[in-house]
Amino acid sequence: MEAVVRDRNHPALVGWCPLNETYQPITDQITQLDDVTHGMYLATRAADPTRPVLDTSGYSHRVDGADIYDSHNYEQDPARFAEQVGGLAEGRPWINDFEGRAMSVPWRGQPYFVSEYGGIWWNAAIAEEAQDPDRVGSWGYGERVRSVDEWFTRFAGLTDALLDDPGMFGYCYTQLTDTFQEENGLFDFGRQPKFDLARLHAIQTREAAVESIDLANQSRRRTHDHHNRCPTLPRRRRDRVRREGLPQPR
């Protein structure tokens, strides 16, 4: 909470996420993870009610109807990646699971994005060497690319799958910089660019499908649906909201 209070007035911040990659299957028991996730979500929203909150980044979502829903997906084949993440329009978002078992509450139609994808390895100095199977010296996700052009082809293919989906409000590429043996950054460990930044910019700044839809109508419909199932207000207040069309706080 200290970080939220410290930074909540910074204009660069668009949302909050107090946890990352919590990992536990759903059971019929209330677990410590359930309580911690709910508590941190509510505390974050109370500390800054002006921004949306994601309960956890990827994996074990435990707050039903949270402001945001997300997933992590490191599939390296662009066609397979597009198939996996392309089910939003049919109500089938990509949701991380635990060896085939559910570990998140269901998606309720709230804004959705893939908050970790990519992780494409590149180290020009050892590009011709065999892949490191033990991930000790140098690694990224999936099969190594062999050239910068191959890296850009994969990056563009993965990114296009997200930009072409009108239900995808955003994405977050992993990762900005190399971190020790994780050499899948856009910049190296010394914060020097590994790739042509203009080329990276061009791939990501074309019009996204979400920009071509009527966002005002989409937002009103989502808000209406969310309010109709919102359990947090007293019943008389909810009834009045529905009867008179009053705005309801989230």
Side-chain angles (χ1 to χ4, degrees), residues 115-183:
S115 62
E116 289 190 23
Y117 83 105
I120 309 169
W121 176 89
W122 181 250
N123 181 335
I126 59 173
E128 297 303 320
E129 294 183 11
Q131 190 147 326
D132 179 5
D134 298 322
R135 295 184 170 186
V136 174
S138 174
W139 70 275
Y141 290 91
E143 186 70 22
R144 283 183 177 180
V145 295
R146 298 298 181 185
S147 69
V148 168
D149 285 339
E150 188 179 343
W151 188 96
F152 270 106
T153 297
R154 187 182 297 182
F155 176 79
L158 297 173
T159 304
D160 284 347
L162 302 174
L163 291 174
D164 288 340
D165 189 336
M168 192 77 59
F169 84 82
Y171 61 81
C172 183
Y173 182 81
T174 300
Q175 52 196 5
L176 182 61
T177 71
D178 289 349
T179 305
F180 298 101
Q181 78 274 18
E182 293 186 23
E183 296 191 312

Side-chain angles (χ1 to χ4, degrees), residues 42 45 226-227 229-235 238 248-250:
L42 293 173
R45 291 200 70 198
H226 179 79
H227 289 168
R229 64 173 178 269
C230 179
T232 58
L233 292 183
R235 181 175 179 178
R238 293 203 307 271
Q248 175 175 320
R250 296 188 68 182

Side-chain angles (χ1 to χ4, degrees), residues 5-135:
V5 173
R6 181 194 65 201
D7 297 334
R8 62 188 174 190
N9 290 321
H10 200 293
L13 294 176
V14 298
W16 297 103
C17 180
L19 296 167
N20 179 59
E21 291 192 344
T22 51
Y23 201 76
Q24 184 185 75
I26 292 279
T27 70
D28 58 357
Q29 301 293 315
I30 296 176
T31 67
Q32 185 178 50
L33 178 62
D34 296 320
D35 287 340
V36 168
T37 305
H38 277 83
M40 294 189 70
Y41 175 83
L42 293 173
T44 304
R45 291 200 70 198
D48 183 2
T50 69
R51 292 181 175 88
V53 179
L54 174 65
D55 59 345
T56 184
S57 182
Y59 296 10
S60 295
H61 294 293
R62 296 304 169 90
V63 178
D64 200 359
D67 296 331
I68 305 291
Y69 203 101
D70 81 327
S71 68
H72 296 176
N73 189 320
Y74 286 106
E75 172 59 52
Q76 295 295 295
D77 178 76
R80 192 174 298 117
F81 180 73
E83 182 179 355
Q84 290 175 352
V85 303
L88 279 172
E90 292 77 39
R92 297 182 292 99
W94 172 262
I95 299 177
N96 300 111
D97 61 27
F98 184 93
E99 298 177 352
R101 299 171 60 189
M103 61 177 177
S104 287
V105 296
W107 177 61
R108 300 299 187 186
Q110 63 264 63
Y112 174 97
F113 74 125
V114 176
S115 62
E116 289 190 23
Y117 83 105
I120 309 169
W121 176 89
W122 181 250
N123 181 335
I126 59 173
E128 297 303 320
E129 294 183 11
Q131 190 147 326
D132 179 5
D134 298 322
R135 295 184 170 186

